[in-house]
Amino acid sequence: MPFAPTNILMNKKTLHFPAGFFWGSATSAHQVEGGNVNDWSEWEKGNSERLAREAKNYWQDWQKAKFPEMFNPRNYISGKACDHYNRYEEDFELAKSLNHNAHRFSIEWSRIEPEEGKFNEKEIGHYRDVIKSLREKNLEPFITLWHWTNPLWLAKIGGPENKKFAYYFGRYAKFVAEQLGDSVNFWITVNEPTSVIANSYARGIWPPQRKSFLSALKVYKNLAAAHNSAFDAIHTISKANVGFANLLTFYEPYDKNSILDKAALKVAEYFGNKKFLNLTKNKNDFLAAQYYFHHRIKFPFKNKNENKALTDMGWEIYPRGIYHILKELKKFNLPIYITENGLADAEDSRREKFIKEHLYWVHKAIREGADVRGYFYWSLLDNFEWDKGFWPRFGLVEIDYETLERKIRPSARAYAEICGNNYIKM
Ligand code: FCB
């Protein structure tokens, strides 16, 4: 659907989005499917006790009091997760009932290529059924090829640190696109490369817990090469749109008059927001923006946020930031999709306001020329939040992890109204 600013009617209270806007939510395979065998599932087994122990020193008192599950090692084992692998039909019915017209999910590489070079037809068949189920419900699929997990054979030889990573990833992407490409218009190659670079290779807190600047730089290069190679591979067989999901942080200097704060900001902005885009220049059909963070940088790299409102994870809620990152993307003259934005809010007391306020700022960016064509709330379901486990509740739909019962949260209904109307009322 072409971008048509004239479609955006505006009066004081009702803000319309462009015709054909994609409204939906996002998930990723490892976080919802259950039953995965990959580098993360292995790492969880070896680290769950430690993570449960360390929670005592990591979280604030209010978080510890509210979420005692964090002290249970079981919290850190993805296990059956939401059993979405078997219940996707039911979950997509929910998304449809909530007026979504698009859905983002990821394909699990370790299922498709459990052994090097051996592709599993049955698992491809599974994802073919997943796409069919979405299409039957008029949900446009946005498909991520790599949402952080690696097949074990690949992890063993260094995962994204291996210089052949781009070759392996390109081959996998080509296979998947050949098998499923006729029904897919949007591919997202890699999810948030900078999150992995920072957490797995610089801070050393995620698998494989490397703590090396050199490794981090290597992975930067290899993941960008992987994106580029998948971009080319997909385009040899299909006209689909290809992009990567970029975590974009809104940076400000703590002190606007401090040269040091401003210099530190430039460095953070370069490595955080810009470098991967530079390395994949001319190989993006669209930009996929993911917004969670605002950082007021105090030299050297401290975040001094005001933190007036927080999520359950202690992340600052700062809706205006999404406007700035979208304005920054405008210069690329490419369509923009917001492929993630959301919060952990177990009580569901802040989610509706969070969504509306972010959308208010998205709308302002659109009015000022940013070609935003879709918004995907993170996440459709509560799910496995990586090294933090199951206690953070991001879902529009609540999961009871004992019974796996799904329950629509009130905020999901408020978002459904927006999706159905294609406007927000402020
Ligand atoms: C993003 C990840 C996603 C989820 C959200 C909360 O950085 O892409 O998998 O963990 O954060």
Side-chain angles (χ1 to χ4, degrees):
M1 192 64 61
F3 174 61
T6 45
N7 285 348
I8 303 165
L9 307 170
M10 231 197 80
N11 61 37
K12 267 193 201 117
K13 293 222 179 88
T14 309
L15 306 175
H16 287 256
F17 283 76
F21 201 80
F22 285 125
W23 294 104
S25 60
T27 64
S28 92
H30 190 67
Q31 295 176 275
V32 296
E33 280 184 350
N36 281 315
V37 181
N38 55 36
D39 57 344
W40 267 87
S41 66
E42 291 311 292
W43 182 82
E44 289 155 20
K45 286 184 211 151
N47 289 273
S48 61
E49 302 271 348
R50 174 181 63 82
L51 292 169
R53 230 179 13 251
E54 288 176 2
K56 286 189 192 66
N57 305 322
Y58 189 88
W59 299 102
Q60 306 280 322
D61 287 343
W62 62 271
Q63 289 162 312
K64 290 191 260 191
K66 222 168 137 186
F67 303 104
E69 313 96 280
M70 64 170 64
F71 304 116
N72 185 342
R74 268 179 45 207
N75 174 67
Y76 302 94
I77 303 274
S78 57
K80 61 180 165 22
C82 313
D83 194 29
H84 177 73
Y85 186 84
N86 297 308
R87 297 174 196 233
Y88 64 87
E89 184 69 31
E90 174 189 349
D91 293 336
F92 297 160
E93 277 301 337
L94 289 175
K96 185 185 166 196
S97 80
L98 292 170
N99 297 331
H100 297 190
N101 62 6
H103 180 70
R104 175 178 174 230
F105 71 98
S106 79
I107 289 184
E108 177 59 32
W109 189 355
S110 62
R111 290 186 189 274
I112 302 296
E113 194 182 355
E115 286 177 58
E116 207 247 283
K118 295 205 176 120
F119 295 95
N120 186 321
E121 297 286 340
K122 191 178 141 267
E123 293 291 357
I124 275 288
H126 167 80
Y127 289 109
R128 195 172 287 125
D129 292 346
V130 167
I131 296 169
K132 188 163 156 267
S133 166
L134 288 172
R135 287 253 171 253
E136 280 164 5
K137 296 170 189 59
N138 290 321
L139 293 159
E140 181 71 33
F142 277 63
I143 307 187
T144 314
L145 287 165
W146 187 77
H147 203 118
W148 300 350
T149 49
N150 297 298
L152 291 177
W153 61 266
L154 181 57
K156 245 181 234 146
I157 55 170
E161 256 196 283
N162 187 309
K163 57 177 182 300
K164 281 180 78 184
F165 183 84
Y167 161 76
Y168 293 127
F169 185 67
R171 186 175 66 177
Y172 153 71
K174 182 154 181 274
F175 176 77
V176 173
E178 274 165 0
Q179 298 289 318
L180 307 176
D182 50 350
S183 49
V184 181
N185 298 321
F186 297 95
W187 294 105
I188 292 172
T189 56
V190 296
N191 181 69
E192 292 187 2
T194 53
S195 300
V196 173
I197 292 160
N199 292 317
S200 296
Y201 297 93
R203 298 170 66 204
I205 58 169
W206 290 355
Q209 291 193 273
R210 198 85 71 239
K211 223 176 167 174
S212 144
F213 188 62
L214 275 182
S215 295
L217 286 180
K218 218 191 292 171
V219 174
Y220 232 122
K221 208 173 113 214
N222 292 347
L223 285 176
H227 165 84
N228 292 340
S229 114
F231 179 92
D232 290 339
I234 295 170
H235 280 306
T236 58
I237 41 188
S238 111
K239 287 204 174 69
N241 301 291
V242 183
F244 73 93
N246 203 6
L247 176 77
L248 292 167
T249 298
F250 174 48
Y251 295 103
E252 290 184 294
Y254 173 70
D255 174 356
K256 290 194 173 63
N257 300 316
S258 156
I259 292 174
L260 285 177
D261 288 2
K262 284 197 279 193
L265 174 148
K266 287 275 172 223
V267 175
E269 205 167 50
Y270 173 72
F271 284 105
N273 290 358
K274 295 189 170 159
K275 187 175 156 81
F276 207 86
L277 269 171
N278 294 344
L279 292 172
T280 58
K281 213 168 165 195
N282 303 323
K283 299 228 188 257
N284 289 296
D285 297 318
F286 63 89
L287 301 174
Q290 315 206 142
Y291 175 69
Y292 292 96
F293 301 115
H294 164 231
H295 289 336
R296 290 201 312 165
I297 303 272
K298 183 162 169 52
F299 181 84
F301 291 111
K302 283 217 172 89
N303 299 328
K304 290 269 183 185
N305 289 4
E306 284 179 351
N307 291 337
K308 285 186 183 147
L310 295 177
T311 75
D312 287 347
M313 294 189 68
W315 299 356
E316 185 194 25
I317 300 177
Y318 196 78
R320 184 166 66 85
I322 202 167
Y323 163 78
H324 293 283
I325 65 147
L326 293 172
K327 288 298 295 273
E328 198 53 42
L329 294 182
K330 198 183 132 196
K331 62 171 181 271
F332 291 95
N333 278 321
L334 287 169
I336 303 167
Y337 298 91
I338 297 156
T339 43
E340 281 185 36
N341 172 232
L343 82 167
D345 175 19
E347 285 165 353
D348 202 37
S349 58
R350 290 149 289 176
R351 191 170 281 107
E352 178 178 345
K353 184 165 179 258
F354 178 101
I355 294 175
K356 279 199 180 147
E357 289 186 352
H358 280 81
L359 287 173
Y360 167 83
W361 289 105
V362 171
H363 190 270
K364 183 168 161 64
I366 294 177
R367 273 187 339 257
E368 294 173 18
D371 184 3
V372 184
R373 299 182 185 191
Y375 176 87
F376 294 79
Y377 175 80
W378 181 272
S379 176
L380 176 63
L381 311 170
D382 286 341
N383 62 49
F384 181 72
E385 178 53 21
W386 307 109
D387 63 329
K388 308 298 180 284
F390 284 110
W391 70 260
R393 302 281 185 157
F394 280 87
L396 293 171
V397 175
E398 182 182 344
I399 302 276
D400 176 330
Y401 290 111
E402 294 304 318
T403 62
L404 294 176
E405 192 196 329
R406 276 81 169 134
K407 202 158 115 204
I408 293 175
R409 292 200 163 101
S411 60
R413 301 204 189 275
Y415 180 50
E417 225 179 287
I418 297 171
C419 302
N421 289 338
N422 203 33
Y423 61 70
I424 49 169
K425 271 185 185 288
M426 295 304 286

